[in-house]
Amino acid sequence: MSKRGLGMRLSVGALMLCCAAVLAGCATSDVLPRGEPAYALIGDPEKGPLPVTDYRISPSDTISITVFQEPDLSLKEAVVEASGHISMPLIGSVQAAGLTTAQLASDLEQRLGARYLEKPQVSVIVNVAVSQQVTVEGNVMQPGSYPVGGRMTLLRALALAHGPTRVAALDEVVVFRMVGGKRMGGLFDVNAIRKGQASDPQIEGNDMVVVGFNAVKGAYRDFLQTAPFLNVFRNF
């Protein structure tokens, strides 16, 4: 390739990157809160969970039931039947749907204590809540809606979507949530979270995670894809 052709090719690439940088600078991400205001809205695990209404178990949810010091009576994964019931050792079918985990645990304690155990201690955890989903959109490998199972965080939500794409703007990840009937959002820096420089925010059912687009990376990728067509400049 001649010097002129090489210079022309580099100039085109530089122009694309410069334009992308301008577009990135025009983003409206500064409208959304960052840092402490964003964590105050979404939830910082280091400061404890935000107060929320207790989730009520639904049919097809997967729950775990632990009876203290009674492994044979405990269930690691129990799928709530369509009728709303679960089957427990010794006591048989028990209504679970419509109850909170605390209510179900209390009911099981009463049933077990009435005939089988002395002062039983029962804990119930929802492993997978089918009615509670997080939607992950934007620059991720597999956008879609995923069930919220156990303690969900931003990094876990991204992992469910098979991670960000190569052109994702990891410092421009937005979590949207309905607060007081209004959709609110906060911006988070996934790079800082991965490095341990920031907390991994809590994700709740019906949240939406949107991963931004890195305009510079995207333009450079497009430039590399079109590079073979620039061979026309070799003759200059």
Side-chain angles (χ1 to χ4, degrees):
M1 179 186 296
S2 67
K3 291 184 178 179
R4 183 179 178 184
L6 178 60
M8 179 71 74
R9 182 170 180 173
L10 293 177
S11 296
V12 173
L15 179 60
M16 292 182 68
L17 293 178
C18 288
C19 291
V22 172
L23 290 174
C26 294
T28 59
S29 60
D30 56 342
V31 176
L32 296 172
R34 291 178 178 268
E36 291 187 7
Y39 280 101
L41 175 68
I42 301 302
D44 187 340
E46 294 183 0
K47 297 181 180 179
L50 292 173
V52 294
T53 303
D54 285 341
Y55 173 74
R56 294 187 178 274
I57 299 169
S58 299
S60 299
D61 283 357
T62 301
I63 63 177
S64 63
I65 300 173
T66 302
V67 182
F68 183 63
Q69 293 186 338
E70 296 291 343
D72 293 339
L73 301 181
S74 302
L75 300 175
K76 290 184 177 180
E77 290 189 348
V79 179
V80 181
E81 300 173 358
S83 63
H85 291 76
I86 57 171
S87 181
M88 283 288 295
L90 295 182
I91 56 180
S93 181
V94 178
Q95 178 70 31
L99 302 179
T100 66
T101 55
Q103 289 172 337
L104 178 57
S106 177
D107 181 39
L108 294 176
E109 288 175 349
Q110 292 178 9
R111 292 171 182 265
L112 290 171
R115 296 181 58 184
Y116 305 104
L117 302 175
E118 182 177 352
K119 295 181 179 180
Q121 298 180 30
V122 180
S123 64
V124 179
I125 297 175
V126 177
N127 297 327
V128 178
V130 295
S131 62
Q132 296 287 293
Q133 295 189 334
V134 56
T135 301
V136 187
E137 297 291 347
N139 286 275
V140 291
M141 299 302 294
Q142 291 191 14
S145 295
Y146 300 91
V148 175
R151 179 179 176 274
M152 179 64 67
T153 66
L154 177 55
L155 291 185
R156 283 194 61 192
L158 294 178
L160 289 174
H162 294 254
T165 66
R166 295 172 64 181
V167 296
L170 294 181
D171 60 341
E172 299 284 340
V173 178
V174 185
V175 177
F176 289 105
R177 177 174 299 166
M178 294 299 294
V179 179
K182 297 181 180 180
R183 184 172 292 280
M184 310 290 285
L187 270 168
F188 298 92
D189 187 339
V190 170
N191 286 325
I193 295 171
R194 286 176 172 174
K195 294 176 183 177
Q197 298 171 350
S199 300
D200 191 4
Q202 301 176 78
I203 299 298
E204 298 179 0
N206 301 319
D207 281 357
M208 174 180 287
V209 176
V210 181
V211 180
F213 172 70
N214 188 316
V216 175
K217 286 184 179 180
Y220 187 61
R221 181 196 63 178
D222 294 341
F223 168 68
L224 293 179
Q225 290 177 343
T226 59
F229 298 100
L230 298 179
N231 289 336
V232 66
F233 295 114
R234 288 184 177 180
N235 298 324
F236 284 86

